[in-house]
Coordinates of all heavy atoms in Angstrom, one line a residue:
G221 N 44.5 41.1 48.3 CA 44.9 41.1 49.7 C 45.2 39.7 50.3 O 44.6 38.7 49.8
V222 N 46.0 39.7 51.3 CA 46.3 38.4 52.0 C 46.3 38.6 53.5 O 46.6 39.7 53.9 CB 47.6 37.8 51.6 CG1 47.6 37.1 50.2 CG2 48.8 38.8 51.6
Q223 N 45.9 37.6 54.2 CA 45.8 37.7 55.7 C 46.0 36.3 56.3 O 45.2 35.4 56.0 CB 44.5 38.3 56.1 CG 44.4 38.5 57.6 CD 45.4 39.3 58.3 OE1 45.8 40.4 57.8 NE2 46.1 38.8 59.3
L224 N 46.9 36.2 57.2 CA 47.1 34.9 58.0 C 46.0 34.9 59.0 O 45.5 35.9 59.6 CB 48.4 35.0 58.8 CG 49.6 34.3 58.2 CD1 50.9 34.7 58.9 CD2 49.5 32.8 58.2
S225 N 45.5 33.7 59.3 CA 44.5 33.5 60.4 C 45.2 33.7 61.7 O 46.4 33.6 61.9 CB 44.0 32.0 60.3 OG 45.0 31.1 60.7
P226 N 44.4 33.9 62.8 CA 44.9 34.2 64.1 C 45.8 33.0 64.6 O 46.8 33.2 65.2 CB 43.7 34.4 65.0 CG 42.6 34.9 64.1 CD 42.9 34.2 62.7
A227 N 45.4 31.8 64.2 CA 46.2 30.6 64.7 C 47.3 30.3 63.7 O 48.2 29.4 63.9 CB 45.3 29.4 64.7
E228 N 47.4 31.1 62.6 CA 48.5 31.0 61.6 C 48.5 29.6 60.9 O 49.5 29.1 60.5 CB 49.9 31.3 62.2 CG 50.0 32.7 62.7 CD 51.3 33.2 63.0 OE1 52.3 32.4 63.1 OE2 51.6 34.4 63.1
D229 N 47.3 29.0 60.8 CA 47.2 27.8 60.1 C 46.8 27.9 58.7 O 46.9 26.9 57.9 CB 46.3 26.8 60.9 CG 44.9 27.4 61.0 OD1 44.7 28.6 61.0 OD2 43.9 26.6 61.3
F230 N 46.2 29.0 58.3 CA 45.9 29.3 56.9 C 46.1 30.7 56.5 O 46.1 31.6 57.4 CB 44.4 28.8 56.5 CG 43.4 29.5 57.3 CD1 42.9 30.7 57.0 CD2 42.8 28.9 58.4 CE1 41.9 31.4 57.6 CE2 41.7 29.5 59.1 CZ 41.3 30.8 58.7
V231 N 46.1 30.9 55.2 CA 46.3 32.3 54.7 C 45.1 32.5 53.7 O 44.7 31.7 52.9 CB 47.6 32.4 53.8 CG1 47.6 33.8 53.1 CG2 48.8 32.3 54.6
L232 N 44.4 33.7 54.0 CA 43.3 34.1 53.0 C 43.9 34.9 51.9 O 44.8 35.7 52.1 CB 42.3 34.9 53.8 CG 41.6 34.2 54.9 CD1 40.6 35.2 55.6 CD2 40.8 33.0 54.5
V233 N 43.4 34.7 50.7 CA 43.9 35.5 49.6 C 42.6 35.9 48.7 O 41.8 35.1 48.4 CB 44.9 34.7 48.7 CG1 44.4 33.3 48.3 CG2 45.2 35.5 47.5
A234 N 42.4 37.2 48.5 CA 41.4 37.7 47.8 C 41.6 37.6 46.3 O 42.7 37.9 45.8 CB 41.1 39.2 48.1
E235 N 40.6 37.0 45.5 CA 40.7 36.9 44.1 C 39.7 38.0 43.6 O 38.5 37.8 43.5 CB 40.3 35.6 43.6 CG 41.4 34.6 43.4 CD 41.0 33.4 42.7 OE1 40.2 32.6 43.3 OE2 41.5 33.2 41.5
T236 N 40.3 39.2 43.3 CA 39.4 40.4 43.0 C 38.5 40.1 42.0 O 37.3 40.4 42.1 CB 40.3 41.6 42.8 OG1 41.1 41.9 44.0 CG2 39.5 42.8 42.5
T237 N 38.9 39.7 40.8 CA 38.0 39.7 39.7 C 37.0 38.5 39.7 O 36.1 38.5 39.0 CB 38.7 39.6 38.4 OG1 39.8 38.5 38.4 CG2 39.4 40.8 38.0
M238 N 37.2 37.6 40.7 CA 36.2 36.5 41.0 C 35.3 36.9 42.1 O 34.5 36.0 42.4 CB 36.9 35.2 41.2 CG 37.8 34.7 40.0 SD 36.8 34.4 38.5 CE 36.0 33.0 38.9
A239 N 35.5 38.0 42.8 CA 34.6 38.4 43.9 C 34.6 37.3 44.9 O 33.5 36.9 45.4 CB 33.2 38.8 43.5
R240 N 35.7 36.8 45.3 CA 35.8 35.7 46.3 C 37.1 35.7 47.0 O 38.1 36.4 46.7 CB 35.6 34.3 45.7 CG 36.7 33.9 44.7 CD 36.4 32.6 44.0 NE 37.4 32.3 43.1 CZ 37.3 31.3 42.1 NH1 36.1 30.8 41.9 NH2 38.3 31.0 41.3
I241 N 37.2 34.9 48.1 CA 38.4 34.8 48.9 C 38.7 33.3 49.1 O 37.9 32.5 49.5 CB 38.2 35.5 50.3 CG1 38.0 37.0 50.2 CG2 39.4 35.1 51.2 CD1 37.6 37.7 51.5
R242 N 39.9 32.9 48.7 CA 40.4 31.6 48.9 C 41.1 31.4 50.2 O 41.7 32.4 50.8 CB 41.3 31.2 47.7 CG 40.6 31.0 46.4 CD 41.5 30.1 45.5 NE 40.7 29.8 44.3 CZ 40.0 28.7 44.2 NH1 39.8 27.9 45.2 NH2 39.3 28.5 43.0
R243 N 41.2 30.1 50.6 CA 42.0 29.8 51.8 C 43.0 28.8 51.5 O 42.7 27.8 50.9 CB 41.0 29.3 52.9 CG 41.7 28.8 54.1 CD 40.6 28.5 55.2 NE 39.4 27.8 54.7 CZ 38.3 27.7 55.5 NH1 38.2 28.2 56.7 NH2 37.3 27.1 54.9
F244 N 44.3 29.0 51.8 CA 45.4 28.1 51.6 C 45.9 27.7 53.0 O 46.3 28.6 53.8 CB 46.5 28.7 50.8 CG 47.6 27.7 50.5 CD1 47.5 26.8 49.5 CD2 48.7 27.7 51.3 CE1 48.5 25.8 49.3 CE2 49.7 26.8 51.1 CZ 49.7 25.8 50.0
Y245 N 46.0 26.4 53.3 CA 46.4 25.9 54.6 C 48.0 25.8 54.6 O 48.6 25.1 53.8 CB 45.8 24.6 54.9 CG 44.3 24.6 55.1 CD1 43.4 24.5 53.9 CD2 43.7 24.9 56.3 CE1 42.0 24.6 54.1 CE2 42.4 25.0 56.4 CZ 41.5 24.9 55.3 OH 40.2 25.0 55.5
V246 N 48.6 26.5 55.6 CA 50.1 26.5 55.7 C 50.5 25.6 56.9 O 51.8 25.5 57.0 CB 50.5 27.9 55.9 CG1 50.3 28.7 54.6 CG2 50.0 28.6 57.1
S247 N 49.6 25.0 57.7 CA 50.1 24.1 58.8 C 48.9 23.3 59.1 O 47.8 23.4 58.7 CB 50.5 24.9 60.0 OG 49.5 25.6 60.6
G248 N 49.2 22.2 59.9 CA 48.1 21.3 60.4 C 47.8 20.2 59.4 O 48.5 20.0 58.4
L249 N 46.7 19.5 59.6 CA 46.4 18.3 58.8 C 46.1 18.7 57.4 O 46.2 17.9 56.5 CB 45.1 17.6 59.4 CG 45.4 16.9 60.7 CD1 44.0 16.4 61.3 CD2 46.3 15.8 60.6
M250 N 45.6 19.9 57.1 CA 45.2 20.4 55.8 C 46.3 21.0 55.0 O 46.2 21.5 53.9 CB 44.0 21.3 55.9 CG 42.7 20.7 56.5 SD 41.9 19.8 55.2 CE 41.3 21.0 54.1
K251 N 47.5 21.0 55.6 CA 48.7 21.8 55.1 C 48.9 21.5 53.5 O 48.9 20.3 53.1 CB 49.9 21.5 55.8 CG 51.2 22.3 55.3 CD 52.4 22.0 56.1 CE 53.6 22.8 55.6 NZ 54.8 22.6 56.3
G252 N 49.0 22.5 52.7 CA 49.1 22.4 51.3 C 47.8 22.3 50.5 O 47.8 22.4 49.3
G253 N 46.7 22.2 51.2 CA 45.4 22.2 50.6 C 44.8 23.6 50.5 O 45.3 24.5 51.1
A254 N 43.8 23.7 49.7 CA 43.1 25.0 49.4 C 41.7 24.8 49.3 O 41.2 23.7 48.8 CB 43.7 25.7 48.2
D255 N 40.9 25.8 49.7 CA 39.4 25.7 49.5 C 39.0 27.2 49.4 O 39.7 28.1 49.5 CB 38.7 24.9 50.5 CG 38.9 25.5 51.9 OD1 39.4 26.6 52.1 OD2 38.6 24.7 52.9
L256 N 37.6 27.3 49.2 CA 37.0 28.7 49.2 C 36.6 29.0 50.5 O 35.9 28.3 51.2 CB 35.8 28.6 48.3 CG 36.0 28.7 46.7 CD1 34.7 28.7 46.0 CD2 36.7 30.0 46.4
F257 N 37.0 30.2 51.0 CA 36.6 30.7 52.3 C 35.3 31.4 52.2 O 34.4 31.2 53.0 CB 37.6 31.7 52.8 CG 37.4 32.3 54.2 CD1 37.5 31.4 55.3 CD2 37.1 33.6 54.4 CE1 37.3 32.0 56.6 CE2 36.9 34.1 55.6 CZ 37.0 33.3 56.7
V258 N 35.1 32.2 51.1 CA 33.8 32.8 50.9 C 33.8 33.2 49.4 O 34.8 33.6 48.8 CB 33.6 34.1 51.7 CG1 34.7 35.1 51.5 CG2 32.2 34.7 51.5
E259 N 32.6 33.0 48.7 CA 32.5 33.3 47.3 C 31.3 34.2 47.1 O 30.5 34.4 48.0 CB 32.4 32.0 46.5 CG 31.1 31.2 46.8 CD 31.0 30.0 45.9 OE1 31.5 30.1 44.7 OE2 30.4 28.9 46.2
N260 N 31.1 34.7 45.9 CA 29.9 35.5 45.5 C 29.8 36.7 46.5 O 28.7 36.9 47.0 CB 28.7 34.7 45.5 CG 27.7 35.3 44.5 OD1 28.0 36.0 43.6 ND2 26.4 35.1 44.8
L261 N 30.9 37.4 46.7 CA 30.9 38.6 47.5 C 30.0 39.7 46.9 O 29.9 39.8 45.6 CB 32.3 39.1 47.8 CG 33.1 38.2 48.7 CD1 34.6 38.5 48.6 CD2 32.7 38.4 50.2
P262 N 29.6 40.7 47.6 CA 28.8 41.8 47.1 C 29.6 42.9 46.3 O 29.0 43.8 45.8 CB 28.1 42.4 48.3 CG 29.0 42.1 49.4 CD 29.6 40.7 49.1
G263 N 30.9 42.7 46.4 CA 31.8 43.7 45.7 C 33.1 42.9 45.4 O 33.3 41.7 45.5
F264 N 34.1 43.7 44.9 CA 35.3 43.1 44.5 C 36.4 43.4 45.5 O 36.8 44.5 45.7 CB 35.7 43.7 43.0 CG 34.7 43.4 42.0 CD1 33.7 44.2 41.7 CD2 34.8 42.2 41.4 CE1 32.7 43.9 40.8 CE2 33.8 41.8 40.4 CZ 32.8 42.6 40.1
P265 N 36.8 42.4 46.2 CA 37.7 42.5 47.4 C 39.1 43.0 47.1 O 39.8 42.5 46.1 CB 37.7 41.1 48.0 CG 37.5 40.2 46.9 CD 36.6 40.9 45.8
D266 N 39.6 43.9 47.9 CA 41.0 44.3 47.9 C 41.7 43.7 49.1 O 41.8 42.5 49.2 CB 41.0 45.9 47.9 CG 42.3 46.5 47.3 OD1 43.4 45.8 47.5 OD2 42.3 47.5 46.7
N267 N 42.2 44.6 50.0 CA 42.9 44.0 51.1 C 42.1 43.4 52.1 O 40.9 43.8 52.3 CB 43.8 45.0 51.7 CG 45.1 45.4 50.8 OD1 45.3 44.7 49.8 ND2 45.8 46.4 51.2
I268 N 42.6 42.4 52.9 CA 41.9 41.8 54.0 C 42.8 42.0 55.2 O 44.0 41.8 55.2 CB 41.9 40.2 53.8 CG1 41.3 39.9 52.4 CG2 41.1 39.5 54.9 CD1 41.5 38.4 52.0
R269 N 42.1 42.4 56.3 CA 42.8 42.6 57.6 C 42.0 42.1 58.8 O 40.8 42.1 58.7 CB 43.2 44.2 57.7 CG 44.1 44.8 56.8 CD 45.5 44.1 56.9 NE 46.5 44.7 56.0 CZ 46.9 44.3 54.8 NH1 46.2 43.3 54.3 NH2 47.8 44.8 54.1
P270 N 42.7 41.9 59.9 CA 42.0 41.3 61.0 C 41.1 42.3 61.7 O 41.3 43.5 61.7 CB 43.1 40.9 62.0 CG 44.2 41.7 61.6 CD 44.1 42.0 60.2
S271 N 39.9 41.8 62.2 CA 39.1 42.7 63.0 C 39.2 42.2 64.5 O 39.5 41.1 64.8 CB 37.6 42.5 62.6 OG 37.0 41.3 63.0
S272 N 38.9 43.1 65.4 CA 39.0 42.8 66.8 C 38.1 41.8 67.3 O 38.3 41.2 68.4 CB 38.9 44.1 67.7 OG 37.6 44.7 67.4
S273 N 37.1 41.5 66.5 CA 36.1 40.4 66.9 C 36.6 39.0 66.6 O 35.9 38.0 66.8 CB 34.7 40.7 66.2 OG 35.0 40.5 64.8
G274 N 37.7 38.9 65.9 CA 38.3 37.6 65.6 C 38.0 37.3 64.1 O 38.4 36.3 63.6
G275 N 37.3 38.2 63.4 CA 37.0 38.0 62.0 C 38.0 38.8 61.1 O 39.1 39.0 61.5
Y276 N 37.4 39.3 60.0 CA 38.2 40.0 59.0 C 37.5 41.2 58.4 O 36.3 41.1 58.2 CB 38.7 39.1 57.9 CG 39.3 37.8 58.4 CD1 38.6 36.6 58.6 CD2 40.7 37.8 58.6 CE1 39.2 35.5 59.1 CE2 41.3 36.6 59.2 CZ 40.5 35.5 59.4 OH 41.2 34.4 59.8

Side-chain angles (χ1 to χ4, degrees):
V222 282
Q223 178 61 48
L224 265 166
S225 67
E228 299 193 343
D229 57 338
F230 61 79
V231 176
L232 298 178
V233 54
E235 270 189 292
T236 297
T237 50
M238 298 300 285
R240 68 187 177 193
I241 297 173
R242 285 200 174 273
R243 172 169 48 192
F244 182 83
Y245 294 89
V246 294
S247 67
L249 293 173
M250 296 283 288
K251 184 176 180 179
D255 60 16
L256 280 177
F257 183 68
V258 60
E259 63 176 331
N260 205 28
L261 288 164
F264 297 93
D266 200 326
N267 286 352
I268 310 168
R269 292 298 184 266
S271 75
S272 57
S273 65
Y276 305 94

